[in-house]
Amino acid sequence: GLEAEPLSAHDIERLDRSTNLAEGLPGRAYYDPAFYEAERKHIFAAGWVGVGFASDIPNAGDVVPVSVAGYELILVRLKDGGIKCYHNICRHRGMKLVKDKGNVRTIRCSYHCWTYGLEGNLLATPAIAGVNQNNAEDFDLSELSLIEVRSGQYFDIIFANIDGKAVELETFLKPVRERVEGIFDFSLLKPADPATGRGSRDFAVNWKIVLEGGIEDYHLPFVHKAFDHSKDYTSEIGGEVYSGFSSRRSLAEAQKRYATKASDGNALPFFPVVEETGVAHAVILFIFPATILTCTPSYVSASLQLPRGPTLTHYTSRTYFIGDAATAPEFKKLRDENTIYWKQVLDEDDGPWTQVQAMAPIREELNLPSRFSPHWEVALHNFQKTVAAKLNSAQ
Ligand code: FES
Ligand SMILES: [Fe+2]
């Protein structure tokens, strides 16, 4: 039968108005399996998506499984230092190959033991032709390599393009690099000691609720008691590449807002440009669809929002500190407190997110549109317009 359109012409018209007049995505966008299915294909398979972190697989043979919007992938570190991404699916009967992070010499299926090299080539099919008969006649192993997924890396983030048709990753990310790299010298950064600075958790909400929950500072003083509204707040609009916001503060304010000073008095170093100018820039870019790059005056964090279903999202983040601050023992307390601080922020966010999620069906039933703050939510509006544009252009 005919596929129902995820958004009507009427929905699009209301969304495309100026931010003060616009009406947001309908309630069903947050739970309807058909809407999610359209997003899977036209958003998560069709463009570049942040799926993992290069620092999670530092050594040759390191593998990690990734699940994103129903696609099961494997990230592999090769012997030559490169990274490959494959569909996590055996060419025999479709078993999921890699279930846990690990270090391997080969990727071996747990069902009938078909064995693949790190380069994806099928190496062995034990007993395929009988007891101790490992080769079958006219059975061409070279046709049965793992299915590679186009991938690339920017900073520590591994991106995948499942349909293979997106523009070059460099081209896609150019606006992001131009916006942040003049201020934040990424070459100074190191991944935090794995014991700290990372968080992974599931939120029982649609992936867009997580993104939308972070893309505005409107809710700050109402939900997060530790935060005030920033007086110097600018929406960052990068078309269909990124949405976000930036702010500028004094150094002392920045230390409080970004938890860069520990209770023992130890403080994280600032980026050189911050020291030079005395202005603490923060630029938070939501790289479409679901990667967040948070650049603060003293560290950068990257998070991935990986859909696991219409109403379940896996969140995972890593933090990168300047030089020694990433690993030195004297900064451990600071890194730990920073981690706890951000965990608490997400705990505070989880309440409203869960409640908004729970109300989505009744909002749909009542045909109640959502609205935007023209000051705080221009980026959120741009995010929704980009979702709509991707779904719409696919029809
Ligand atoms: S399904 Fe993988 S070897 Fe049979
Ligand atoms: Fe929040």
Side-chain angles (χ1 to χ4, degrees), residues 156-393:
D156 193 37
I157 306 166
I158 302 169
F159 288 86
N161 168 223
I162 292 163
D163 79 358
K165 294 183 196 155
V167 295
E168 292 295 314
L169 181 61
E170 293 238 333
T171 308
F172 173 66
L173 290 175
K174 195 162 175 269
V176 173
R177 300 190 59 169
E178 285 174 352
R179 180 64 188 92
V180 296
E181 289 184 11
I183 305 174
F184 306 94
D185 183 354
F186 283 9
S187 72
L188 302 174
L189 296 167
K190 288 190 204 157
D193 156 18
T196 59
R198 56 176 63 183
S200 293
R201 61 196 288 178
D202 286 343
F203 291 103
V205 300
N206 182 268
W207 66 280
K208 297 187 295 300
I209 288 190
V210 180
L211 272 289
E212 292 169 5
I215 205 168
E216 44 88 356
D217 269 4
Y218 191 13
H219 72 285
L220 251 48
F222 313 122
V223 173
H224 305 297
K225 300 297 172 241
F227 296 165
D228 274 333
H229 276 147
S230 170
K231 285 171 205 79
D232 185 350
Y233 174 91
T234 309
S235 297
E236 296 285 339
I237 304 300
E240 294 189 353
V241 178
Y242 67 78
S243 273
F245 59 90
S246 62
S247 59
R248 287 139 296 272
R249 294 176 166 81
S250 70
L251 302 192
E253 280 178 290
Q255 282 183 323
K256 184 164 170 272
R257 171 66 175 86
Y258 295 104
T260 65
K261 199 169 183 178
S263 49
D264 61 7
N266 210 357
L268 285 177
F270 288 112
F271 279 103
V273 68
V274 173
E275 295 281 14
E276 284 156 23
T277 60
V279 179
H281 291 266
V283 179
I284 293 92
L285 300 187
F286 289 62
I287 303 170
F288 193 81
T291 301
I292 306 175
L293 192 60
T294 300
C295 305
T296 83
S298 296
Y299 58 89
V300 168
S301 72
S303 70
L304 313 175
Q305 281 55 223
L306 303 173
R308 292 282 165 85
T311 60
L312 183 63
T313 303
H314 182 70
Y315 164 96
T316 183
S317 79
R318 302 288 180 272
T319 306
Y320 310 86
F321 295 98
I322 297 171
D324 275 356
T327 49
E330 61 264 37
F331 289 103
K332 182 167 185 336
K333 189 176 176 59
L334 223 163
R335 292 192 302 268
D336 287 346
E337 288 182 8
N338 186 271
T339 304
I340 291 164
Y341 170 85
W342 283 113
K343 186 188 173 299
Q344 190 181 325
V345 169
L346 286 174
D347 286 345
E348 289 169 350
D349 283 321
D350 192 24
W353 294 354
T354 306
Q355 291 172 46
V356 165
Q357 178 69 51
M359 297 303 283
I362 191 88
R363 184 160 79 75
E364 175 68 21
E365 193 179 320
L366 298 175
N367 194 24
L368 273 184
S370 61
R371 296 293 298 266
F372 303 99
S373 153
H375 177 73
W376 302 102
E377 295 177 326
V378 178
L380 198 163
H381 183 204
N382 185 60
F383 169 76
Q384 292 201 357
K385 282 197 289 190
T386 304
V387 170
K390 298 285 176 193
L391 295 176
N392 213 33
S393 68

Side-chain angles (χ1 to χ4, degrees), residues 58-80:
N59 304 312
D62 284 348
V63 294
V64 65
V66 174
S67 175
V68 52
Y71 299 96
E72 301 295 330
L73 309 176
I74 317 171
L75 303 176
V76 182
R77 178 73 68 174
L78 305 179
K79 289 207 178 78
D80 69 4

Side-chain angles (χ1 to χ4, degrees), residues 112-134:
H112 311 90
C113 217
W114 284 24
T115 303
Y116 304 83
L118 300 180
E119 302 277 350
N121 49 316
L122 180 57
L123 295 171
T125 51
I128 189 171
V131 178
N132 294 328
Q133 303 298 310
N134 300 338

Side-chain angles (χ1 to χ4, degrees), residues 90-95 97 109-114 116:
C90 181
R91 296 297 306 273
H92 177 218
R93 291 242 299 279
M95 180 75 173
L97 287 165
C109 181
S110 61
Y111 203 174
H112 311 90
C113 217
W114 284 24
Y116 304 83

